[in-house]
Amino acid sequence: MKVAIASDHGGINIREEIKKLMEEMNISFVDLGCECSTSVDYPDYALPVAEMVAKGEVDRGILICGTGIGMSIAANKVQGIRCALVHDMFSAKATREHNDSNVLAMGERVIGPGLAREIAKIWLTTDYEGGRHANRVEKITSYEQSLQTK
Ligand code: RB5
């Protein structure tokens, strides 16, 4: 598995924690920034990560900002992206099993690095269940694809 990760200035510490985790898990990743602690705009980081996932250049994306909300809103504008904003371990598992989420968003002003690490570990290792969930995910994909022809 290959992962693209990015954060704005509000998510740098958790980004570093998740990079350490992925090194320990032998998961290869590309870090798309941000490089500085001065204020940056989260769409400039969410959209490139989401594009990489949508194009199949990486398998998954992880985005961190202050709340995770801006990152998730931006990422979900990209066709094919199912970005889940997650701040608990139950949802980390459920969104992989039920939604086949391909991008994870978290907020550094909401949770600490320890919980973020556990969430990311679960999210990275849980498989999509398919089955009864497949039809639901397919309805989202079909709607998205129908917008292309409008
Ligand atoms: C930046 O101040 C903050 O707005 C951003 O990190 C994020 O929380 C946006 O949703």
Side-chain angles (χ1 to χ4, degrees):
M1 183 195 301
K2 190 165 182 185
V3 175
I5 186 167
S7 76
D8 72 359
H9 54 285
I12 290 172
N13 296 320
I14 285 185
R15 188 174 102 234
E16 290 308 312
E17 187 67 35
I18 303 307
K19 281 163 59 183
K20 264 190 266 167
L21 170 70
M22 289 195 287
E23 276 163 9
E24 289 164 22
M25 294 174 76
N26 285 316
I27 292 175
S28 72
F29 60 86
V30 50
D31 181 359
L32 300 190
C34 67
E35 292 305 329
C36 59
S37 55
T38 54
S39 189
V40 296
D41 299 332
Y42 57 81
D44 294 339
Y45 298 89
L47 295 172
V49 165
E51 289 281 354
M52 283 189 80
V53 176
K55 287 177 188 158
E57 293 168 0
V58 292
D59 303 296
R60 306 263 193 94
I62 299 181
L63 294 165
I64 308 105
C65 63
T67 59
I69 296 170
M71 286 293 199
S72 60
I73 291 171
N76 277 318
K77 297 296 178 192
V78 176
Q79 187 175 1
I81 294 305
R82 292 178 299 281
C83 177
L85 173 60
V86 175
H87 290 133
D88 67 275
M89 288 155 69
F90 174 83
S91 301
K93 186 166 181 280
T95 190
R96 282 291 311 132
E97 289 176 344
H98 295 194
N99 314 124
D100 196 18
S101 55
N102 48 15
V103 178
L104 169 68
M106 295 183 284
E108 186 169 310
R109 295 175 192 157
V110 184
I111 55 170
L115 178 53
R117 188 187 159 89
E118 293 308 309
I119 288 168
K121 196 192 288 185
I122 291 167
W123 187 79
L124 287 165
T125 54
T126 302
D127 290 330
Y128 176 47
E129 271 182 6
R132 70 185 193 279
H133 306 294
N135 191 41
R136 298 160 187 170
V137 172
E138 178 54 32
K139 285 186 177 182
I140 299 169
T141 304
S142 297
Y143 173 74
E144 234 180 1
Q145 287 169 350
S146 76
L147 296 177
Q148 295 300 104
T149 55
K150 278 184 183 164

